[in-house]
Amino acid sequence: DAKTTQPPSMDCAEGRAANLPCNHSTISGNEYVYWYRQIHSQGPQYIIHGLKNNETNEMASLIITEDRKSSTLILPHATLRDTAVYYCIVRVARLSTGNQFYFGTGTSLTVIP
Amino acid sequence: DGGITQSPKYLFRKEGQNVTLSCEQNLNHDAMYWYRQDPGQGLRLIYYSQIVNDFQKGDIAEGYSVSREKKESFPLTVTSAQKNPTAFYLCASSLTGLNTEAFFGQGTRLTVV
């Protein structure tokens, strides 16, 4: 299974860019990389996802390496409300059992005033 | 408004009792998922369903049961066979393609005393 590895915690100064890394070295060719975040005791919130190309939306940018073995989520101007646990997920495709989202333990991002 | 609803938000049960957690979605999604989260941990997949009347075990299905009689509903029963049922339970739904995000409910915190 394509699983992910993330640093357990990171700090970022308010107003600066937060760069959250993720390794997914066993990812298969048709499996997407997703990013979610979770604020304490709430359901995870979708941020962005991608396959090969870099992606950008109103929340963040996703940079995927050419070999697809790692990616980086970029929050361009971090605010205090971005303090959360960020999960990098690979959506695994199986002919027998369909598609599943596999969550790791995530990165706890603290934005510092 | 479209969304996914879990109820109740907090649930208390005595040890040895079965308890059923509700999950309803009006997003017209075929796939639904149940995850468990323990303090300081990531999400672990309990069960998922890609279509009505069909569901698959996830990584930690022992002690749990589900049904999928309607597209909108995917209730989870925590049985007395589950050794450590106290946890935060999250339900999610998605379309079945690989290029689609999952939407999460706000979770049910179950405490067994």
Side-chain angles (χ1 to χ4, degrees):
Chain A
D1 292 346
K3 300 293 173 60
T4 61
T5 304
Q6 300 175 252
S9 63
M10 292 180 62
D11 293 337
C12 177
E14 187 178 17
R16 303 297 294 269
N19 297 297
L20 289 84
C22 179
N23 288 322
H24 30 79
S25 58
T26 60
I27 194 169
S28 297
N30 65 343
E31 292 170 349
Y32 283 74
V33 178
Y34 287 75
W35 284 84
Y36 282 77
R37 72 181 182 185
Q38 186 179 26
I39 297 170
H40 183 63
S41 294
Q42 296 184 21
Q45 176 192 22
Y46 167 79
I47 301 173
I48 199 167
H49 74 282
L51 181 65
K52 295 179 183 177
N53 300 322
N54 298 336
E55 302 287 343
T56 295
N57 62 20
E58 64 278 5
M59 289 181 69
S61 294
L62 174 60
I63 309 298
I64 301 174
T65 58
E66 192 169 343
D67 63 8
R68 302 212 323 123
K69 293 186 177 183
S70 65
S71 61
T72 301
L73 178 75
I74 301 172
L75 307 177
H77 305 287
T79 71
L80 298 179
R81 286 179 295 181
D82 292 323
T83 293
V85 177
Y86 287 76
Y87 294 99
C88 169
I89 300 149
V90 171
R91 191 166 190 182
V92 176
R94 290 183 179 146
L95 283 176
S96 58
T97 57
N99 308 325
Q100 303 177 33
F101 292 89
Y102 277 95
F103 283 74
T105 52
T107 295
S108 178
L109 175 69
T110 301
V111 179
I112 302 168
Chain B
D1 288 337
I4 182 163
T5 303
Q6 291 186 242
S7 61
K9 189 167 178 63
Y10 299 96
L11 191 54
F12 294 86
R13 280 293 183 270
K14 290 185 178 179
E15 193 173 344
Q17 291 181 334
N18 291 354
V19 59
T20 298
L21 282 59
S22 169
C23 179
E24 303 277 334
Q25 54 96 2
N26 60 4
L27 300 166
N28 201 32
H29 287 167
D30 284 311
M32 296 188 75
Y33 313 80
W34 273 105
Y35 291 90
R36 170 187 171 133
Q37 187 173 35
D38 294 287
Q41 306 285 319
L43 281 67
R44 293 184 290 169
L45 184 65
I46 305 172
Y47 268 99
Y48 64 104
S49 168
Q50 300 287 315
I51 197 168
V52 174
N53 292 322
D54 185 55
F55 47 83
Q56 305 286 339
K57 292 181 179 180
D59 296 325
I60 55 164
E62 185 175 350
Y64 299 98
S65 65
V66 293
S67 62
R68 188 82 188 278
E69 297 176 1
K70 298 187 301 181
K71 188 175 187 177
E72 302 81 15
S73 179
F74 191 41
L76 173 75
T77 297
V78 184
T79 75
S80 56
Q82 167 52 235
K83 291 182 171 50
N84 297 297
T86 294
F88 188 47
Y89 290 88
L90 286 157
C91 179
S93 71
S94 75
L95 297 171
T96 51
L98 280 175
N99 188 18
T100 60
E101 64 267 34
F103 293 85
F104 282 82
Q106 289 305 297
T108 293
R109 188 166 298 280
L110 173 65
T111 302
V112 175
V113 296

